[in-house]
Amino acid sequence: MALDSEARITPTSAHWGTYFAEVRDGKLIAVHDYAKDPSPATIGPGIVEAVDDPVRVRRPMIRKGFLEHGKDSDRAGRGVEPFVAVPWDEALDIASAELERVRNEHGNSSIFGGSYGWASAGRFHHATSQVHRFLNSIGGYTKSVDNYSNAAAIVLARHVIGDFQKEILDQATTWPVIAENADLLVMFGGLPVKNAQVTSGGVGRHTMYEGLLQAQANGVEFVSVSPLRNDSAPTFEAEWIAPRPNTDAAIMMGLAHTLVTEDLHDPAFLAKYAVGFERFQPYLMGETDGQAKDADWAAEISGLSADTIRNLARRMASARTMLTVTWSVQRGDHGEQPYWMAIVLAAMLGQIGLPGGGVGLGYSSENGVGNPVKLFRFPALPQGVNQVPDFIPVARISDMLLNPGGTFEYDGKTLTYPDTRLVYWAGGNPFHHHQDLNRLIKAFRQPECLIVNEIWWTAMARHADIVFPATTNLEREDVSMTHWEPLMVAMRKAIEPVGDSRDDYAIFTGLAERLGAGEAFTEGRTPEDWIRHLWNQARQRAGEAGFELPSLEVLREQETAELPPAEKEAVLLADFRADPDANPLSTPSGRIEIFSETIQSFGYEDCPGHPVWQEPYEWLGSPLVETYPLHLISNQPRTRLHSQLDSGGVSRGSKIQGREPMSLHPDEAAARGLSDGDVARIYNDRGACLAGVIVSDAVMPGVIQLSTGAWYDPLEPGVPGTLCKHGNPNVLTRDKGTSSLGQAPTAHSVLVEVEKFEGELPPITVFQPPAIEERG
């Protein structure tokens, strides 16, 4: 590219791609896509405006009431009161004193290390690792387990098919194998290319779109089962089957029933590779409850025709079929059930372990799933030993804060919520991914102290007592190296830190030194020392794996490096299929568990020992539709990663009159007097928000689509139930676990109503900082 003599180009990496930052006169001018990326993400340029926009946190800040009264301040002031800018030393002194007080008076279990989020793509400056290492260096903390993306799948898989990460995601059948061998892709939740813009830790080449194009060229047929037609890109001309949301498990049972009654299933495979089909079949056939789970039954629940279900089952049985299920499908009430049924259905077809056949649990949910890459275990910043045994499932934050001492069920255990007095958050924004924000606000008023490291004034920062300004990946050195991606990137410092921001490592070093844990946290290493240490570990492991990585100096000079290609093409559970005795699964039986004795032993009514259909608490078959007749799908956005870069130009350019766009079917729009470009109010008994209107037949009737991640912007901060002016769907979602087994989030089980907004639109204020007072 032609650049003037004053411009400087610097490599960097993000969860949505590899970029080369163009800097002139110390300012970020542009980011340029990696030349070898065949399908660059939409998201990347959003960083240009966001990196130095007005909503950056530029100095250490303390909520005014907390600065004046400490733990005795009015906690209802969180998210309402102004902040006071203080010097770094004073802010670190106050925060370290709070940490010391809490651990001495209440024990380390009363400290919750939240910090769930994608944060930076760099291997060293990974906020979650940094904060957990720090908290472990001072005695430990209550942690969370699993994640918001696929928590129900994680817990279920360990009982039914094996470790979700190591056995399912890491070994997923690759796109070239699918393109070469599959005849039919049946995609529950579709395969949305926009979701595959990202991989946690960084993306080198976006491969999913490329893989699907090759599959299409080879004659593979696509069937997308989703309420949204654009969950499959128009390029692939997928057959669109549009069921009621949350009815996937019932549809799969209707497919399974057809396979049995028409003798299309594979009993030999089930006998050799699975256990418990004889315990599940009576339920499927209606012998245990008098209701056969046939296509007619599934049609009544799903809104599809029985013929559609029967014909799809026949097509699946007559071809090499890959059954895929996106992570979104399990983020609903009883979200474990469609995943369990997908595994059962694939086992009944008998194609698990065959090239291009079987099941995939997460294609398109991240770019890396199915990426043809050599599996390699990169080193990570060690987090140390947590001396506190307490934990919560990741989506149970509000329950923990509102019910100290209360008990809860999780994966066969009865556990107790700790008495949380201090929350430390770094590298995440729970107001994006947590449900029922009005309840979350009440929950965040319970702890005595909330501390946040944050780049921008997100809702989490605005509800904190102490806010430390953190740097972006463009303001520090690092190295990107991650599983599922072959590309390693020397992430170079492109610009100086904005304002008075500091790296998380510097922040935690300052706190650790004040708490007598400086050496335990740093081990005497500077950031450069740690980056070299991690890279040298990667080089050593590469040598043990039979290939060579360059020195850090050479990597920085050449900017990127690539792993060698994989020795063989990955086919999920191929070794297991070849010899199940020599290569057993990590399930209790070593086989695919259609009936799980372990889950049955837990005695959960909401998750018994085999897949079942249980009505969601809110769905289009519920009597609640008399009041709230529309099902809300809050899927992932196209213009940002979750809520990251919402203040940037790409995301803000997608807004309608400043609001997050919402799509609905022409019939639903006409019934409510809505047209393209209007602003609508979406509401239920939990909350309400505004959104810009897009009228589209790509959304089935009875459904609206409003992407997650719009920064929460309340009309009246601190007032429960107040309107979100900007369009955050989590003011509408219910905060309930999927089941006693997984306790995962249920964001996709939501009913709402929509009406045209009348009157003067309230201004968007979330992209300006909160009120800040100067001393003196």
Side-chain angles (χ1 to χ4, degrees):
M1 65 191 70
L3 298 171
D4 64 46
S5 59
E6 296 181 355
R8 182 166 55 89
I9 297 293
T10 306
T12 193
S13 181
H15 301 300
W16 47 85
T18 296
Y19 296 95
F20 291 84
E22 181 181 348
V23 177
R24 187 179 293 113
D25 298 327
K27 298 291 185 181
L28 180 67
I29 302 301
V31 290
H32 303 283
D33 296 323
Y34 179 49
K36 295 182 180 180
D37 191 343
S39 183
T42 302
I43 299 169
I47 188 64
V48 176
E49 296 91 352
V51 72
D52 193 14
D53 68 8
V55 79
R56 275 293 295 262
V57 183
R58 297 172 186 269
R59 293 179 290 173
M61 296 284 177
I62 299 183
R63 180 171 62 86
K64 183 177 181 181
F66 189 84
L67 184 62
E68 295 172 349
H69 304 290
K71 69 180 182 65
D72 297 321
S73 68
D74 181 2
R75 298 169 200 165
R78 290 175 180 151
V80 180
E81 291 180 349
F83 286 85
V84 179
V86 301
W88 266 105
D89 282 344
E90 183 177 358
L92 291 168
D93 287 344
I94 292 172
S96 60
E98 280 299 295
L99 286 158
E100 181 74 356
R101 177 188 66 80
V102 168
R103 69 173 180 168
N104 286 340
E105 294 180 5
H106 306 287
N108 281 70
S109 65
S110 63
I111 300 172
F112 179 68
S115 311
Y116 172 84
W118 286 51
S120 171
R123 202 65 172 179
F124 172 63
H125 291 291
H126 179 245
T128 303
S129 297
Q130 292 279 351
V131 66
H132 292 166
R133 178 179 174 83
F134 162 68
L135 292 174
N136 284 334
S137 76
I138 64 169
Y141 65 101
T142 294
K143 66 179 182 179
S144 63
V145 298
D146 307 328
N147 62 62
Y148 280 85
S149 295
N150 49 41
I154 289 173
V155 180
L156 176 78
R158 67 173 66 114
H159 301 293
V160 173
I161 198 170
D163 184 277
F164 191 63
Q165 178 72 43
K166 297 177 181 177
E167 294 182 76
I168 306 303
L169 299 182
D170 287 351
Q171 300 181 47
T173 302
T174 60
W175 289 115
V177 173
I178 293 172
E180 185 65 28
N181 297 280
D183 298 314
L184 177 66
L185 255 66
V186 179
M187 310 173 298
F188 283 86
L191 282 178
V193 174
K194 65 178 176 57
N195 291 22
Q197 293 183 91
V198 302
T199 291
S200 180
V203 175
R205 299 178 70 255
H206 289 87
T207 57
M208 191 193 90
Y209 190 74
E210 186 179 48
L212 288 175
L213 284 175
Q214 187 58 56
Q216 183 184 38
N218 290 352
V220 177
E221 296 180 355
F222 302 92
V223 176
S224 179
V225 185
S226 169
L228 309 177
R229 186 174 62 213
N230 55 16
D231 269 344
S232 176
T235 304
F236 306 116
E237 300 176 334
E239 178 186 344
W240 182 30
I241 296 176
R244 290 170 168 172
N246 289 183
T247 63
D248 303 89
I251 296 167
M252 293 178 192
M253 288 176 185
L255 294 168
H257 188 278
T258 301
L259 294 179
V260 172
T261 56
E262 299 188 7
D263 198 23
L264 299 175
H265 66 307
D266 191 337
F269 183 93
L270 294 171
K272 185 175 182 180
Y273 298 100
V275 295
F277 184 72
E278 73 284 353
R279 304 280 296 274
F280 170 67
Q281 186 170 350
Y283 171 79
L284 182 68
M285 307 311 291
E287 297 166 13
T288 57
D289 61 2
Q291 174 60 66
K293 314 308 179 293
D294 59 15
D296 295 287
W297 168 86
E300 185 175 349
I301 291 171
S302 66
L304 303 178
S305 74
D307 285 344
T308 295
I309 295 169
R310 290 191 182 96
N311 290 336
L312 181 58
R314 294 163 187 155
R315 289 174 64 189
M316 292 166 62
S318 64
R320 181 63 58 87
T321 299
M322 173 64 76
L323 177 65
T324 71
V325 194
T326 59
W327 293 345
S328 60
V329 169
Q330 50 91 68
R331 290 198 294 270
D333 195 21
H334 310 298
E336 294 86 359
Q337 301 307 317
Y339 260 50
W340 203 344
M341 264 312 302
I343 294 165
V344 171
L345 192 56
M348 292 176 67
L349 290 169
Q351 298 183 24
I352 292 175
L354 295 178
V359 67
L361 306 178
Y363 288 112
S364 84
S365 298
E366 288 193 43
N367 175 70
V369 181
N371 205 358
V373 62
K374 178 183 179 68
L375 283 178
F376 182 70
R377 187 171 62 89
F378 286 106
L381 180 68
Q383 295 185 18
V385 177
N386 190 351
Q387 299 176 40
V388 175
D390 295 336
F391 70 88
I392 63 166
V394 69
R396 303 273 59 81
I397 299 167
S398 294
D399 287 354
M400 174 188 71
L401 296 177
L402 293 168
N403 299 290
T407 60
F408 65 97
E409 297 294 323
Y410 169 75
D411 196 19
K413 307 176 185 69
T414 301
L415 303 169
T416 302
Y417 290 121
D419 184 5
T420 304
R421 302 302 180 102
L422 184 148
V423 173
Y424 204 130
W425 215 280
N429 177 19
F431 284 80
H432 147 63
H433 52 246
H434 197 71
Q435 276 66 71
D436 196 346
L437 295 188
N438 289 303
R439 185 170 187 257
L440 182 66
I441 290 168
K442 295 175 184 176
F444 274 144
R445 290 176 178 173
Q446 306 310 307
E448 296 168 350
C449 182
L450 295 181
I451 307 174
V452 172
N453 295 4
E454 185 52 276
I455 301 168
W456 292 280
W457 281 109
T458 63
M460 186 62 205
R462 294 169 192 260
H463 284 80
D465 298 316
I466 302 170
V467 184
F468 292 120
T471 54
T472 69
N473 60 314
L474 293 166
E475 297 158 47
R476 58 201 183 205
E477 297 282 333
D478 213 331
V479 175
S480 171
M481 43 181 172
T482 189
H483 67 297
W484 297 349
E485 295 287 343
L487 191 71
M488 293 148 283
V489 182
M491 300 170 63
R492 306 310 307 272
K493 182 178 179 180
I495 59 175
E496 291 301 314
V498 171
D500 203 13
S501 57
R502 294 183 181 179
D503 301 340
D504 291 306
Y505 186 70
I507 297 168
F508 292 126
T509 297
L511 292 171
E513 289 173 344
R514 285 165 170 79
L515 294 167
E519 179 63 27
F521 177 70
T522 68
E523 297 184 22
R525 293 189 174 106
T526 65
E528 176 69 9
D529 294 335
W530 272 112
I531 293 168
R532 288 185 176 277
H533 175 69
L534 292 171
W535 183 251
N536 288 337
Q537 281 188 324
R539 296 186 71 200
Q540 180 179 348
R541 292 182 186 181
E544 294 168 355
F547 66 97
E548 185 177 351
L549 292 177
S551 67
L552 184 60
E553 286 75 17
V554 171
L555 176 69
R556 285 172 169 171
E557 181 178 347
Q558 67 188 33
E559 302 179 328
T560 64
E562 292 193 28
L563 289 174
E567 290 81 5
K568 65 176 183 177
E569 295 179 319
V571 175
L572 181 64
L573 302 185
D575 291 342
F576 169 69
R577 185 184 184 101
D579 190 337
D581 295 321
N583 303 291
L585 304 179
S586 61
T587 60
S589 65
R591 299 294 196 267
I592 297 167
E593 301 213 359
I594 295 172
F595 183 93
S596 168
E597 295 284 0
T598 302
I599 294 177
Q600 179 71 11
S601 72
F602 297 158
Y604 296 149
E605 291 186 4
D606 57 0
C607 191
H610 61 69
V612 294
W613 161 252
Q614 293 182 325
E615 287 194 20
Y617 53 73
E618 292 179 24
W619 69 299
L620 292 177
S622 163
L624 193 60
V625 295
E626 296 293 328
T627 306
Y628 302 116
L630 298 173
H631 195 119
L632 168 65
I633 300 294
S634 54
N635 59 356
Q636 294 301 327
R638 178 182 56 86
T639 57
R640 57 184 178 268
L641 168 58
H642 306 329
S643 67
Q644 289 188 40
L645 303 187
D646 193 31
S647 65
V650 174
S651 183
R652 293 179 72 173
S654 71
K655 312 284 183 177
I656 296 173
Q657 296 194 55
R659 325 292 150 166
E660 186 68 17
M662 169 205 73
S663 297
L664 79 169
H665 190 272
D667 292 348
E668 304 294 355
R672 293 161 178 82
L674 295 170
S675 302
D676 283 323
D678 287 343
V679 172
R681 175 177 173 264
I682 312 170
Y683 64 95
N684 59 20
D685 58 359
R686 287 180 289 272
C689 67
L690 299 183
V693 174
I694 297 174
V695 180
S696 171
D697 64 3
V699 180
M700 65 175 285
V703 169
I704 67 167
Q705 175 271 322
L706 175 68
S707 291
T708 184
W711 285 6
Y712 175 61
D713 194 4
L715 181 64
E716 298 179 83
V719 177
T722 192
L723 178 77
C724 175
K725 302 177 290 181
H726 190 206
N728 188 316
N730 278 323
V731 299
L732 303 160
T733 53
R734 182 179 177 186
D735 188 10
K736 175 189 176 296
T738 50
S739 75
S740 302
L741 182 74
Q743 292 287 4
T746 55
H748 290 314
S749 295
V750 186
L751 291 179
V752 299
E753 179 58 290
V754 173
E755 64 183 8
K756 187 173 182 178
F757 181 82
E758 303 287 355
E760 184 177 352
L761 280 171
I764 299 296
T765 54
V766 73
F767 297 131
Q768 296 297 321
I772 296 171
E773 294 186 1
E774 300 290 341
R775 281 176 163 170

